[in-house]
């Protein structure tokens, strides 16, 4: 009961904060705003603040970097939200992201003549298919979008439809720039939607996971599937890798893990049992192919029993 009451109080407080923000009477600082991390970790993917071949950039954080530093980012894989794209456009670097933000608007601006309906996710290379819908954002009319202009070579992976399922404007786009970098843009204000259940639907999780797989060229550090709300952690040591999965949902399930380990030789996998003893995971539960390690928990794991796997 205590945890449930705490959640309800937080939700009640957030309602007032959102209302005051819409009236211009309250401003979230960049420190407290949710970022891509909030959405990505809820998709069963690991994040890091260390160097990585893929960067997820949102909000105003990119203003702290020079033009040359931003160009260095754009040589690898980059995931951008609305505000990050606007800043890159201001700097005159839109040719490297494949799109240009033409204007910003809110969902309440799409009430007439065409009403925002659903996002169609149809890019089969990212796990979508025609007539696959992610849902509109009916929980709040203040959600911010960016109307984008496509550049040559950019590809649309999802689009907003009206209530009659007619295309309105592009959403998720992906682009390979002349530096060789890969860029994906989802022109929402991610701070408004990252923690929203209206945003993190099952197909959204597929969309973000496969988009990051494309950005990383198939080298995801760690991806967990099989259930809802896993918290994955990975720690690399000179002679081993420790994978940890905490089930943050109330339903027990068998976590399935995919992780890029490169040229590392894998001799065995060990699972920490309930008595604190490392037990060898049978070969039938894991495989290594082209530098990608895949394994499955030998049993279901609840929130009371995190999974720890040591790769030697």
């Amino acid at each position: 009961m205590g945890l449930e009451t705490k959640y309800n109080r937080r939700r009640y407080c957030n309602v007032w904060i959102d209302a005051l923000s819409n009236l211009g009477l309250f401003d979230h600082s960049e420190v407290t705003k949710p970022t891509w991390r909030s959405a990505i970790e809820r998709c069963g993917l690991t994040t890091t603040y260390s160097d990585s071949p893929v960067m997820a950039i949102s909000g105003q954080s990119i203003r702290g970097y020079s033009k040359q530093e931003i160009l260095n980012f754009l040589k690898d894989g980059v995931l951008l939200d609305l505000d990050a794209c606007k800043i890159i456009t201001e700097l005159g670097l839109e040719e490297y992201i494949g799109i240009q933000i033409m204007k910003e608007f809110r969902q309440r601006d799409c009430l007439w003549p065409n009403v925002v309906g659903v996002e169609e996710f149809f890019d089969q290379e990212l796990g979508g298919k025609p007539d696959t819908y992610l849902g509109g954002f009916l929980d709040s009319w203040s959600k911010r979008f960016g109307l984008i202009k496509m550049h040559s070579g950019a590809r649309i992976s999802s689009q907003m439809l009206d209530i009659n399922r007619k295309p309105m404007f592009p959403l998720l786009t992906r682009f390979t720039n002349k530096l060789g970098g890969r860029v994906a843009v989802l022109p929402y204000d991610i701070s408004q939607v990252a923690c929203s259940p209206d945003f993190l639907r099952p197909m959204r999780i597929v969309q973000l996971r496969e988009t990051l797989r494309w950005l990383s060229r198939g080298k995801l550090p760690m991806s967990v599937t099989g259930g809802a709300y896993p918290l994955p952690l990975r720690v690399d040591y000179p002679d081993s890798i420790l994978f940890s999965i905490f089930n943050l949902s109330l339903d027990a399930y068998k976590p399935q893990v995919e992780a890029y380990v490169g040229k590392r030789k894998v001799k065995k996998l060990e699972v920490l049992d309930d008595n604190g003893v490392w037990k060898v995971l049978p070969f039938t539960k894991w495989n290594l192919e082209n530098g990608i390690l895949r394994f499955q928990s030998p049993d279901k794991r609840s929130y009371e029993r995190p999974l720890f796997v040591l790769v030697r």
Side-chain angles (χ1 to χ4, degrees), residues 43-86:
C43 295
L45 299 163
T46 52
T47 61
T48 179
Y49 289 104
S50 302
D51 292 338
S52 172
V54 177
M55 295 191 67
I57 305 173
S58 58
Q60 302 289 322
S61 59
I62 200 170
R63 288 195 186 277
Y65 297 92
S66 68
K67 230 178 187 181
Q68 186 56 52
E69 287 175 317
I70 294 172
L71 284 172
N72 289 337
F73 299 156
L74 295 171
K75 292 179 181 178
D76 294 318
V78 179
L79 176 62
L80 302 169
D81 81 335
L82 170 62
D83 288 330
C85 284
K86 288 172 62 178

Side-chain angles (χ1 to χ4, degrees), residues 232-248:
L233 300 172
R234 170 177 170 165
V235 181
D236 287 63
Y237 299 100
D239 59 349
S240 62
I241 304 174
L242 177 62
F243 293 101
S244 308
I245 299 103
F246 297 84
N247 179 3
L248 304 184

Side-chain angles (χ1 to χ4, degrees), residues 192-205:
Q192 293 182 320
V193 299
C195 301
S196 169
D198 221 17
F199 179 76
L200 286 175
R201 295 168 179 260
M203 283 306 297
R204 176 75 67 193
I205 293 174

Side-chain angles (χ1 to χ4, degrees), residues 5-288:
T5 302
K6 182 178 181 181
Y7 171 79
N8 287 339
R9 286 178 179 173
R10 173 184 285 183
R11 183 177 181 184
Y12 180 78
C13 180
N14 286 341
V15 168
W16 277 106
I17 289 175
D18 289 342
L20 292 172
S21 298
N22 293 336
L23 294 172
L25 301 176
F26 184 89
D27 181 30
H28 291 281
S29 71
E30 289 298 313
V31 176
T32 59
K33 282 184 178 179
T35 64
W36 275 118
R37 177 187 176 188
S38 302
I40 290 171
E41 290 185 345
R42 284 169 169 79
C43 295
L45 299 163
T46 52
T47 61
T48 179
Y49 289 104
S50 302
D51 292 338
S52 172
V54 177
M55 295 191 67
I57 305 173
S58 58
Q60 302 289 322
S61 59
I62 200 170
R63 288 195 186 277
Y65 297 92
S66 68
K67 230 178 187 181
Q68 186 56 52
E69 287 175 317
I70 294 172
L71 284 172
N72 289 337
F73 299 156
L74 295 171
K75 292 179 181 178
D76 294 318
V78 179
L79 176 62
L80 302 169
D81 81 335
L82 170 62
D83 288 330
C85 284
K86 288 172 62 178
I87 295 169
I88 288 177
T89 299
E90 289 175 14
L91 294 173
L93 300 176
E94 64 268 14
E95 65 177 300
Y96 297 98
I97 63 175
I99 62 101
Q100 181 179 357
I101 300 294
M102 301 302 294
K103 70 174 183 177
E104 176 190 317
F105 58 97
R106 297 178 184 269
Q107 185 167 336
R108 60 171 173 255
D109 299 326
C110 300
L111 297 177
W112 185 263
N114 297 318
V115 180
V116 166
V118 293
E119 178 182 346
E120 182 186 24
F121 174 40
F122 53 83
D123 190 339
Q124 297 185 35
E125 291 185 18
L126 299 184
K129 57 185 178 180
D131 300 325
T132 297
Y133 305 115
L134 301 183
F137 298 106
L138 302 180
D139 63 323
S140 173
W141 291 108
S142 64
K143 295 291 189 291
R144 297 167 59 226
F145 304 93
L147 183 63
I148 62 179
K149 176 184 178 181
M150 305 286 293
H151 288 192
S152 176
R155 178 172 178 174
I156 302 174
S157 294
S158 74
Q159 61 186 350
M160 185 62 78
L161 307 180
D162 66 14
I163 57 176
N164 295 311
R165 295 195 301 175
K166 294 182 179 179
M168 296 182 68
F169 48 85
L171 285 171
L172 178 65
T173 62
R174 52 192 179 113
F175 177 69
T176 301
N177 60 41
K178 61 185 180 183
L179 301 175
R182 294 183 175 184
V183 180
V185 174
L186 192 58
Y188 295 121
D189 176 358
I190 200 64
S191 70
Q192 293 182 320
V193 299
C195 301
S196 169
D198 221 17
F199 179 76
L200 286 175
R201 295 168 179 260
M203 283 306 297
R204 176 75 67 193
I205 293 174
V206 173
Q207 183 192 64
L208 290 179
R209 183 180 68 238
E210 297 308 313
T211 298
L212 289 166
R213 190 193 306 278
W214 176 75
L215 290 171
S216 68
R217 294 170 168 80
K219 299 177 180 179
L220 287 175
M222 185 178 181
S223 170
V224 180
T225 58
Y229 298 112
L231 174 61
L233 300 172
R234 170 177 170 165
V235 181
D236 287 63
Y237 299 100
D239 59 349
S240 62
I241 304 174
L242 177 62
F243 293 101
S244 308
I245 299 103
F246 297 84
N247 179 3
L248 304 184
S249 73
L250 297 178
D251 299 315
Y253 58 85
K254 291 184 178 181
Q256 301 169 18
V257 178
E258 174 187 320
Y260 180 72
V261 297
K263 297 181 180 180
R264 183 186 291 267
K265 294 182 179 180
V266 177
K267 298 179 181 178
K268 62 180 178 179
L269 272 66
E270 296 177 334
V271 178
L272 190 66
D273 69 12
D274 295 337
N275 296 316
V277 178
W278 291 102
K279 298 289 184 67
V280 175
L281 186 67
F283 285 104
T284 56
K285 295 293 184 180
W286 66 275
N287 71 80
L288 178 63

